[in-house]
PDB file of all heavy atoms in Angstrom:
ATOM      1  N   SER A1242      19.014   0.422  -2.783  1.00  0.00           N
ATOM      2  CA  SER A1242      18.218   1.193  -1.832  1.00  0.00           C
ATOM      3  C   SER A1242      18.272   0.552  -0.451  1.00  0.00           C
ATOM      4  O   SER A1242      18.682  -0.605  -0.287  1.00  0.00           O
ATOM      5  CB  SER A1242      16.773   1.267  -2.313  1.00  0.00           C
ATOM      6  OG  SER A1242      15.962   1.962  -1.397  1.00  0.00           O
ATOM      7  N   SER A1243      17.835   1.282   0.541  1.00  0.00           N
ATOM      8  CA  SER A1243      17.737   0.759   1.899  1.00  0.00           C
ATOM      9  C   SER A1243      16.540  -0.184   2.008  1.00  0.00           C
ATOM     10  O   SER A1243      15.485   0.067   1.420  1.00  0.00           O
ATOM     11  CB  SER A1243      17.575   1.913   2.890  1.00  0.00           C
ATOM     12  OG  SER A1243      17.130   1.466   4.143  1.00  0.00           O
ATOM     13  N   ASP A1244      16.711  -1.267   2.753  1.00  0.00           N
ATOM     14  CA  ASP A1244      15.601  -2.196   2.980  1.00  0.00           C
ATOM     15  C   ASP A1244      14.417  -1.469   3.612  1.00  0.00           C
ATOM     16  O   ASP A1244      13.258  -1.748   3.281  1.00  0.00           O
ATOM     17  CB  ASP A1244      16.039  -3.342   3.890  1.00  0.00           C
ATOM     18  CG  ASP A1244      16.935  -4.336   3.179  1.00  0.00           C
ATOM     19  OD1 ASP A1244      16.956  -4.333   1.934  1.00  0.00           O
ATOM     20  OD2 ASP A1244      17.612  -5.120   3.872  1.00  0.00           O
ATOM     21  N   VAL A1245      14.707  -0.544   4.514  1.00  0.00           N
ATOM     22  CA  VAL A1245      13.644   0.185   5.202  1.00  0.00           C
ATOM     23  C   VAL A1245      12.800   0.977   4.201  1.00  0.00           C
ATOM     24  O   VAL A1245      11.567   1.027   4.319  1.00  0.00           O
ATOM     25  CB  VAL A1245      14.223   1.111   6.278  1.00  0.00           C
ATOM     26  CG1 VAL A1245      13.131   1.958   6.908  1.00  0.00           C
ATOM     27  CG2 VAL A1245      14.939   0.298   7.357  1.00  0.00           C
ATOM     28  N   LEU A1246      13.449   1.574   3.199  1.00  0.00           N
ATOM     29  CA  LEU A1246      12.708   2.327   2.194  1.00  0.00           C
ATOM     30  C   LEU A1246      11.804   1.411   1.369  1.00  0.00           C
ATOM     31  O   LEU A1246      10.673   1.775   1.039  1.00  0.00           O
ATOM     32  CB  LEU A1246      13.676   3.072   1.270  1.00  0.00           C
ATOM     33  CG  LEU A1246      14.435   4.256   1.894  1.00  0.00           C
ATOM     34  CD1 LEU A1246      15.387   4.863   0.872  1.00  0.00           C
ATOM     35  CD2 LEU A1246      13.463   5.301   2.414  1.00  0.00           C
ATOM     36  N   VAL A1247      12.292   0.222   1.052  1.00  0.00           N
ATOM     37  CA  VAL A1247      11.474  -0.749   0.312  1.00  0.00           C
ATOM     38  C   VAL A1247      10.281  -1.174   1.161  1.00  0.00           C
ATOM     39  O   VAL A1247       9.153  -1.274   0.660  1.00  0.00           O
ATOM     40  CB  VAL A1247      12.316  -1.970  -0.108  1.00  0.00           C
ATOM     41  CG1 VAL A1247      11.431  -3.032  -0.773  1.00  0.00           C
ATOM     42  CG2 VAL A1247      13.421  -1.559  -1.060  1.00  0.00           C
ATOM     43  N   TRP A1248      10.515  -1.404   2.452  1.00  0.00           N
ATOM     44  CA  TRP A1248       9.415  -1.794   3.338  1.00  0.00           C
ATOM     45  C   TRP A1248       8.398  -0.663   3.470  1.00  0.00           C
ATOM     46  O   TRP A1248       7.188  -0.917   3.477  1.00  0.00           O
ATOM     47  CB  TRP A1248       9.954  -2.164   4.717  1.00  0.00           C
ATOM     48  CG  TRP A1248      10.906  -3.319   4.700  1.00  0.00           C
ATOM     49  CD1 TRP A1248      11.032  -4.279   3.724  1.00  0.00           C
ATOM     50  CD2 TRP A1248      11.896  -3.624   5.683  1.00  0.00           C
ATOM     51  NE1 TRP A1248      12.024  -5.155   4.041  1.00  0.00           N
ATOM     52  CE2 TRP A1248      12.581  -4.784   5.241  1.00  0.00           C
ATOM     53  CE3 TRP A1248      12.278  -3.039   6.889  1.00  0.00           C
ATOM     54  CZ2 TRP A1248      13.620  -5.373   5.971  1.00  0.00           C
ATOM     55  CZ3 TRP A1248      13.313  -3.608   7.616  1.00  0.00           C
ATOM     56  CH2 TRP A1248      13.966  -4.761   7.169  1.00  0.00           C
ATOM     57  N   LEU A1249       8.860   0.574   3.567  1.00  0.00           N
ATOM     58  CA  LEU A1249       7.939   1.713   3.645  1.00  0.00           C
ATOM     59  C   LEU A1249       7.124   1.841   2.360  1.00  0.00           C
ATOM     60  O   LEU A1249       5.919   2.132   2.406  1.00  0.00           O
ATOM     61  CB  LEU A1249       8.723   3.005   3.903  1.00  0.00           C
ATOM     62  CG  LEU A1249       9.272   3.196   5.321  1.00  0.00           C
ATOM     63  CD1 LEU A1249      10.152   4.448   5.388  1.00  0.00           C
ATOM     64  CD2 LEU A1249       8.136   3.290   6.337  1.00  0.00           C
ATOM     65  N   LEU A1250       7.775   1.620   1.224  1.00  0.00           N
ATOM     66  CA  LEU A1250       7.052   1.660  -0.046  1.00  0.00           C
ATOM     67  C   LEU A1250       5.989   0.570  -0.083  1.00  0.00           C
ATOM     68  O   LEU A1250       4.842   0.811  -0.501  1.00  0.00           O
ATOM     69  CB  LEU A1250       8.027   1.479  -1.211  1.00  0.00           C
ATOM     70  CG  LEU A1250       7.412   1.419  -2.614  1.00  0.00           C
ATOM     71  CD1 LEU A1250       6.648   2.696  -2.922  1.00  0.00           C
ATOM     72  CD2 LEU A1250       8.494   1.164  -3.656  1.00  0.00           C
ATOM     73  N   GLY A1251       6.342  -0.630   0.382  1.00  0.00           N
ATOM     74  CA  GLY A1251       5.377  -1.721   0.418  1.00  0.00           C
ATOM     75  C   GLY A1251       4.223  -1.432   1.355  1.00  0.00           C
ATOM     76  O   GLY A1251       3.063  -1.694   1.024  1.00  0.00           O
ATOM     77  N   ALA A1252       4.519  -0.861   2.510  1.00  0.00           N
ATOM     78  CA  ALA A1252       3.474  -0.587   3.502  1.00  0.00           C
ATOM     79  C   ALA A1252       2.527   0.511   3.029  1.00  0.00           C
ATOM     80  O   ALA A1252       1.299   0.369   3.124  1.00  0.00           O
ATOM     81  CB  ALA A1252       4.117  -0.188   4.833  1.00  0.00           C
ATOM     82  N   THR A1253       3.079   1.609   2.508  1.00  0.00           N
ATOM     83  CA  THR A1253       2.214   2.698   2.045  1.00  0.00           C
ATOM     84  C   THR A1253       1.394   2.278   0.830  1.00  0.00           C
ATOM     85  O   THR A1253       0.213   2.626   0.714  1.00  0.00           O
ATOM     86  CB  THR A1253       3.049   3.945   1.708  1.00  0.00           C
ATOM     87  OG1 THR A1253       4.077   3.599   0.769  1.00  0.00           O
ATOM     88  CG2 THR A1253       3.687   4.520   2.961  1.00  0.00           C
ATOM     89  N   SER A1254       2.013   1.512  -0.071  1.00  0.00           N
ATOM     90  CA  SER A1254       1.285   1.036  -1.248  1.00  0.00           C
ATOM     91  C   SER A1254       0.166   0.083  -0.846  1.00  0.00           C
ATOM     92  O   SER A1254      -0.947   0.139  -1.393  1.00  0.00           O
ATOM     93  CB  SER A1254       2.237   0.343  -2.220  1.00  0.00           C
ATOM     94  OG  SER A1254       3.244   1.220  -2.672  1.00  0.00           O
ATOM     95  N   ALA A1255       0.448  -0.791   0.124  1.00  0.00           N
ATOM     96  CA  ALA A1255      -0.576  -1.722   0.601  1.00  0.00           C
ATOM     97  C   ALA A1255      -1.756  -0.969   1.192  1.00  0.00           C
ATOM     98  O   ALA A1255      -2.922  -1.294   0.931  1.00  0.00           O
ATOM     99  CB  ALA A1255       0.030  -2.668   1.643  1.00  0.00           C
ATOM    100  N   TRP A1256      -1.480   0.066   1.996  1.00  0.00           N
ATOM    101  CA  TRP A1256      -2.541   0.849   2.621  1.00  0.00           C
ATOM    102  C   TRP A1256      -3.392   1.555   1.568  1.00  0.00           C
ATOM    103  O   TRP A1256      -4.624   1.542   1.631  1.00  0.00           O
ATOM    104  CB  TRP A1256      -1.927   1.859   3.576  1.00  0.00           C
ATOM    105  CG  TRP A1256      -2.952   2.583   4.408  1.00  0.00           C
ATOM    106  CD1 TRP A1256      -3.609   3.744   4.091  1.00  0.00           C
ATOM    107  CD2 TRP A1256      -3.440   2.185   5.691  1.00  0.00           C
ATOM    108  NE1 TRP A1256      -4.474   4.094   5.098  1.00  0.00           N
ATOM    109  CE2 TRP A1256      -4.392   3.154   6.087  1.00  0.00           C
ATOM    110  CE3 TRP A1256      -3.162   1.116   6.533  1.00  0.00           C
ATOM    111  CZ2 TRP A1256      -5.061   3.077   7.303  1.00  0.00           C
ATOM    112  CZ3 TRP A1256      -3.820   1.038   7.748  1.00  0.00           C
ATOM    113  CH2 TRP A1256      -4.766   2.008   8.121  1.00  0.00           C
ATOM    114  N   MET A1257      -2.741   2.152   0.579  1.00  0.00           N
ATOM    115  CA  MET A1257      -3.462   2.880  -0.458  1.00  0.00           C
ATOM    116  C   MET A1257      -4.291   1.942  -1.335  1.00  0.00           C
ATOM    117  O   MET A1257      -5.459   2.218  -1.633  1.00  0.00           O
ATOM    118  CB  MET A1257      -2.475   3.661  -1.324  1.00  0.00           C
ATOM    119  CG  MET A1257      -1.784   4.807  -0.590  1.00  0.00           C
ATOM    120  SD  MET A1257      -0.437   5.544  -1.559  1.00  0.00           S
ATOM    121  CE  MET A1257      -1.350   6.084  -3.007  1.00  0.00           C
ATOM    122  N   LEU A1258      -3.699   0.824  -1.739  1.00  0.00           N
ATOM    123  CA  LEU A1258      -4.415  -0.098  -2.618  1.00  0.00           C
ATOM    124  C   LEU A1258      -5.585  -0.764  -1.897  1.00  0.00           C
ATOM    125  O   LEU A1258      -6.647  -0.991  -2.494  1.00  0.00           O
ATOM    126  CB  LEU A1258      -3.452  -1.154  -3.163  1.00  0.00           C
ATOM    127  CG  LEU A1258      -2.428  -0.630  -4.172  1.00  0.00           C
ATOM    128  CD1 LEU A1258      -1.389  -1.696  -4.489  1.00  0.00           C
ATOM    129  CD2 LEU A1258      -3.118  -0.170  -5.448  1.00  0.00           C
ATOM    130  N   ALA A1259      -5.416  -1.066  -0.612  1.00  0.00           N
ATOM    131  CA  ALA A1259      -6.534  -1.632   0.151  1.00  0.00           C
ATOM    132  C   ALA A1259      -7.680  -0.637   0.239  1.00  0.00           C
ATOM    133  O   ALA A1259      -8.856  -1.010   0.138  1.00  0.00           O
ATOM    134  CB  ALA A1259      -6.065  -2.039   1.547  1.00  0.00           C
ATOM    135  N   GLY A1260      -7.339   0.639   0.412  1.00  0.00           N
ATOM    136  CA  GLY A1260      -8.372   1.667   0.455  1.00  0.00           C
ATOM    137  C   GLY A1260      -9.114   1.779  -0.869  1.00  0.00           C
ATOM    138  O   GLY A1260     -10.343   1.964  -0.893  1.00  0.00           O
ATOM    139  N   ILE A1261      -8.391   1.665  -1.967  1.00  0.00           N
ATOM    140  CA  ILE A1261      -9.026   1.720  -3.293  1.00  0.00           C
ATOM    141  C   ILE A1261      -9.925   0.506  -3.504  1.00  0.00           C
ATOM    142  O   ILE A1261     -11.065   0.632  -3.973  1.00  0.00           O
ATOM    143  CB  ILE A1261      -7.949   1.801  -4.395  1.00  0.00           C
ATOM    144  CG1 ILE A1261      -7.207   3.130  -4.311  1.00  0.00           C
ATOM    145  CG2 ILE A1261      -8.578   1.625  -5.772  1.00  0.00           C
ATOM    146  CD1 ILE A1261      -5.996   3.227  -5.217  1.00  0.00           C
ATOM    147  N   LEU A1262      -9.445  -0.669  -3.144  1.00  0.00           N
ATOM    148  CA  LEU A1262     -10.239  -1.889  -3.325  1.00  0.00           C
ATOM    149  C   LEU A1262     -11.507  -1.868  -2.481  1.00  0.00           C
ATOM    150  O   LEU A1262     -12.531  -2.445  -2.870  1.00  0.00           O
ATOM    151  CB  LEU A1262      -9.404  -3.122  -2.964  1.00  0.00           C
ATOM    152  CG  LEU A1262      -8.328  -3.533  -3.963  1.00  0.00           C
ATOM    153  CD1 LEU A1262      -7.413  -4.584  -3.342  1.00  0.00           C
ATOM    154  CD2 LEU A1262      -8.944  -4.084  -5.245  1.00  0.00           C
ATOM    155  N   ASP A1263     -11.442  -1.215  -1.329  1.00  0.00           N
ATOM    156  CA  ASP A1263     -12.598  -1.171  -0.433  1.00  0.00           C
ATOM    157  C   ASP A1263     -13.755  -0.345  -0.982  1.00  0.00           C
ATOM    158  O   ASP A1263     -14.899  -0.495  -0.547  1.00  0.00           O
ATOM    159  CB  ASP A1263     -12.186  -0.590   0.934  1.00  0.00           C
ATOM    160  CG  ASP A1263     -11.502  -1.624   1.814  1.00  0.00           C
ATOM    161  OD1 ASP A1263     -11.676  -2.835   1.552  1.00  0.00           O
ATOM    162  OD2 ASP A1263     -10.785  -1.219   2.750  1.00  0.00           O
ATOM    163  N   GLN A1264     -13.476   0.528  -1.926  1.00  0.00           N
ATOM    164  CA  GLN A1264     -14.533   1.374  -2.471  1.00  0.00           C
ATOM    165  C   GLN A1264     -15.497   0.546  -3.316  1.00  0.00           C
ATOM    166  O   GLN A1264     -15.085  -0.403  -3.997  1.00  0.00           O
ATOM    167  CB  GLN A1264     -13.916   2.497  -3.302  1.00  0.00           C
ATOM    168  CG  GLN A1264     -13.073   3.461  -2.496  1.00  0.00           C
ATOM    169  CD  GLN A1264     -12.371   4.484  -3.370  1.00  0.00           C
ATOM    170  OE1 GLN A1264     -12.733   4.670  -4.530  1.00  0.00           O
ATOM    171  NE2 GLN A1264     -11.368   5.160  -2.814  1.00  0.00           N
ATOM    172  N   PRO A1265     -16.789   0.843  -3.262  1.00  0.00           N
ATOM    173  CA  PRO A1265     -17.800   0.062  -3.993  1.00  0.00           C
ATOM    174  C   PRO A1265     -17.465  -0.074  -5.482  1.00  0.00           C
ATOM    175  O   PRO A1265     -17.108   0.904  -6.133  1.00  0.00           O
ATOM    176  CB  PRO A1265     -19.089   0.869  -3.787  1.00  0.00           C
ATOM    177  CG  PRO A1265     -18.857   1.615  -2.516  1.00  0.00           C
ATOM    178  CD  PRO A1265     -17.393   1.952  -2.502  1.00  0.00           C
ATOM    179  N   GLY A1266     -17.542  -1.308  -5.965  1.00  0.00           N
ATOM    180  CA  GLY A1266     -17.301  -1.566  -7.370  1.00  0.00           C
ATOM    181  C   GLY A1266     -15.852  -1.722  -7.762  1.00  0.00           C
ATOM    182  O   GLY A1266     -15.545  -1.999  -8.927  1.00  0.00           O
ATOM    183  N   ASN A1267     -14.936  -1.567  -6.796  1.00  0.00           N
ATOM    184  CA  ASN A1267     -13.509  -1.634  -7.126  1.00  0.00           C
ATOM    185  C   ASN A1267     -12.892  -3.005  -6.926  1.00  0.00           C
ATOM    186  O   ASN A1267     -11.699  -3.185  -7.159  1.00  0.00           O
ATOM    187  CB  ASN A1267     -12.727  -0.601  -6.315  1.00  0.00           C
ATOM    188  CG  ASN A1267     -12.746   0.757  -6.984  1.00  0.00           C
ATOM    189  OD1 ASN A1267     -13.358   0.932  -8.030  1.00  0.00           O
ATOM    190  ND2 ASN A1267     -12.078   1.726  -6.382  1.00  0.00           N
ATOM    191  N   GLY A1268     -13.663  -3.985  -6.444  1.00  0.00           N
ATOM    192  CA  GLY A1268     -13.152  -5.347  -6.498  1.00  0.00           C
ATOM    193  C   GLY A1268     -12.923  -6.095  -5.209  1.00  0.00           C
ATOM    194  O   GLY A1268     -12.437  -7.217  -5.233  1.00  0.00           O
ATOM    195  N   ALA A1269     -13.275  -5.518  -4.044  1.00  0.00           N
ATOM    196  CA  ALA A1269     -13.099  -6.276  -2.804  1.00  0.00           C
ATOM    197  C   ALA A1269     -13.889  -7.580  -2.851  1.00  0.00           C
ATOM    198  O   ALA A1269     -13.455  -8.616  -2.326  1.00  0.00           O
ATOM    199  CB  ALA A1269     -13.536  -5.440  -1.603  1.00  0.00           C
TER     200      ALA A1269
END
C-alpha cells in the first residue's frame, strides 16, 4: 500500500478512538 494511505488510516483511527475514549465511562 501507499505510505500516505497507512498514515491516513492511522490519523482517522486515532481521531475516532480518541473520541470514543473521551466519552464518560470509556476509559480516558
Side-chain angles (χ1 to χ4, degrees):
S1242 178
S1243 164
D1244 286 343
V1245 175
L1246 290 178
V1247 175
W1248 299 339
L1249 286 174
L1250 177 60
T1253 54
S1254 299
W1256 188 271
M1257 292 171 60
L1258 290 171
I1261 293 171
L1262 286 169
D1263 280 340
Q1264 295 175 16
N1267 275 1

